């Protein structure tokens, strides 16, 4: 290397605590964060995250030093573990799509989970959609209820994709939706996230387990977040903790804005401070009574409102 300092632009693919794998046009460079950055934003436990676009300065042993983190389009944040008041843990940055995955059965669809995740995506301005997996397990008795749930979310404007990782049905459609973008998958354990991703990209799990060479072991754990490159182009964010997000710092009056189907009514309520709970003259409740707003969505809203009011929930930004 010449005496001139060499800088490269890249994207953080993986973090292993103190090292970050930065993908550049000339390959992946294991990099460290310049000590100073670690202290700059005291609200965040981890100022540098997967998905971040960074500038690195090459150092002599072909590793990098992260010298700049570029402004993020968006970020997925959850309350820091251990309930450290006001602390945020950023899970990933610059996300193009978030998919909440549920299964028809084993386990059955949890609309409360779906709605919390969608609210978080609205708050973080991450386009979201719903994947209903295991449609091969659908029994005639389940059909009406499952289709109704699909219709509710599709009517709101969220893409809804029924798939089967088992039979491969619609997996190609999902694969196409992931192409050339950074996608996040969320969903309770057992809904089939790993199986689906492996159906899209066989061998992905191997890569998931492969920790950077310097740690020696290729453990099949995902303690640290990573961006998994797809051979068709694009990345899937593989991060622990997406499931345990909380809603950070949402004010009760804001929550309604994160339910897109409530938006046309929010300014029609009698009281400008209406929380659409028990207030008289509430246009959201009128829409509910006219069956324009789905009762299950509305009850998710009320549940979230009560936890926000009790100071239990948080959605940071
Ligand atoms: P994850 O926890 O969301 O990653 O779920 P897994 O991918 O580990 O899947 C949980 C279980 O569901 C496994 O036994 C899978 O074989 C099974 N599974 C996943 N997708 C499907 C599907 O489309 N149909 C059926 N019948 N089983 C599935
Ligand atoms: Zn109202």
């Amino acid at each position: 290397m010449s005496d001139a300092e060499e800088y490269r632009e890249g994207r953080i693919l993986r973090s292993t605590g103190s090292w970050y794998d930065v993908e550049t046009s000339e390959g992946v460079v294991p990099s460290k964060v310049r000590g100073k950055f670690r202290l700059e934003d005291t609200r965040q436990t981890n100022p540098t995250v997967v998905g971040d676009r960074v500038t690195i300065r090459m150092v002599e042993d072909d590793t990098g030093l992260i010298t700049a983190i570029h402004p993020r389009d968006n970020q997925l944040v959850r309350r820091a573990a251990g309930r450290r008041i006001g602390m945020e843990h950023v899970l990933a940055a610059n996300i193009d799509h978030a998919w909440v995955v549920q299964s028809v059965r084993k386990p059955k669809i949890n609309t409360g989970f779906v709605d919390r995740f969608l609210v978080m995506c609205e708050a973080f301005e991450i386009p979201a959609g719903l994947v209903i997996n295991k449609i091969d397990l659908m029994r005639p008795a389940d059909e009406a209820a499952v289709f109704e749930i699909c219709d509710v979310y599709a009517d709101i404007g969220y893409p809804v994709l029924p798939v089967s990782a088992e039979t491969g049905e619609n997996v190609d459609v999902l694969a196409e939706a992931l192409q050339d973008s950074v996608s996040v998958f969320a969903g309770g354990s057992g809904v089939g996230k790993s199986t689906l991703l492996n159906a899209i990209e066989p061998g992905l799990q191997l890569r998931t387990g492969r920790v950077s060479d310097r740690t020696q072991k290729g453990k099949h754990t995902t303690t640290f977040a990573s961006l998994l490159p797809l051979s068709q182009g694009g990345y899937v964010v593989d991060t622990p903790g997406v499931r345990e997000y909380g809603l950070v710092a949402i004010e009760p009056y804001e929550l309604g804005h994160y339910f897109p189907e409530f938006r046309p009514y929010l300014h029609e309520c009698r009281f400008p401070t209406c929380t659409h709970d028990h207030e008289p003259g509430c246009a959201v409740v009128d829409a509910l009574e006219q069956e324009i707003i789905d009762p299950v969505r509305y009850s998710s809203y009320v549940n979230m409102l009560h936890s926000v009011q009790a100071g239990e929930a948080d959605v940071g930004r």
Side-chain angles (χ1 to χ4, degrees), residues 133-134 136-137 164-166 188-195:
N133 188 31
K134 308 197 189 182
D136 58 291
L137 295 183
S164 169
E166 179 82 15
S189 152
V191 297
K193 296 179 299 300
S194 320
T195 314

Side-chain angles (χ1 to χ4, degrees), residues 269 274-276 282-284:
C269 297
C274 188
T275 59
H276 327 298
C282 174
V284 171

Side-chain angles (χ1 to χ4, degrees), residues 102-181:
Q102 294 287 297
S103 51
V104 166
R105 290 202 300 132
K106 301 180 178 181
K108 68 178 171 54
I109 301 176
N110 177 346
T111 53
F113 182 102
V114 172
D115 292 332
R116 281 172 61 93
F117 190 75
L118 294 177
V119 161
M120 191 179 66
C121 293
E122 293 291 336
F124 293 138
E125 299 180 6
I126 301 170
L130 182 57
V131 174
I132 306 288
N133 188 31
K134 308 197 189 182
I135 54 173
D136 58 291
L137 295 183
M138 186 129 74
R139 300 171 299 193
D142 305 319
E143 269 180 27
V146 171
F147 290 146
E148 193 186 326
I149 290 171
C150 292
D151 285 349
V152 165
Y153 291 97
D155 285 348
I156 297 166
Y158 293 111
V160 178
L161 193 53
V163 302
S164 169
E166 179 82 15
T167 65
E169 190 167 351
N170 274 343
V171 168
D172 55 335
V173 181
L174 181 60
E176 207 172 300
L178 303 187
Q179 192 158 11
D180 297 327
S181 58

Side-chain angles (χ1 to χ4, degrees), residues 16 23 33 60 70 96 171 186 191 197 209 221 227 262 273 288 316:
T16 58
E23 183 185 54
V33 178
E60 270 158 25
H70 301 300
D96 297 309
V171 168
V191 297
L197 291 173
T221 55
L227 286 192
F262 289 15
T273 54
L288 171 74

Side-chain angles (χ1 to χ4, degrees), residues 78 91 113 117 185-189 193 239-246:
R78 74 170 162 84
L91 298 168
F113 182 102
F117 190 75
F185 283 79
S189 152
K193 296 179 299 300
T239 175
V242 166
R243 286 183 292 118
E244 296 104 48
Y245 55 79

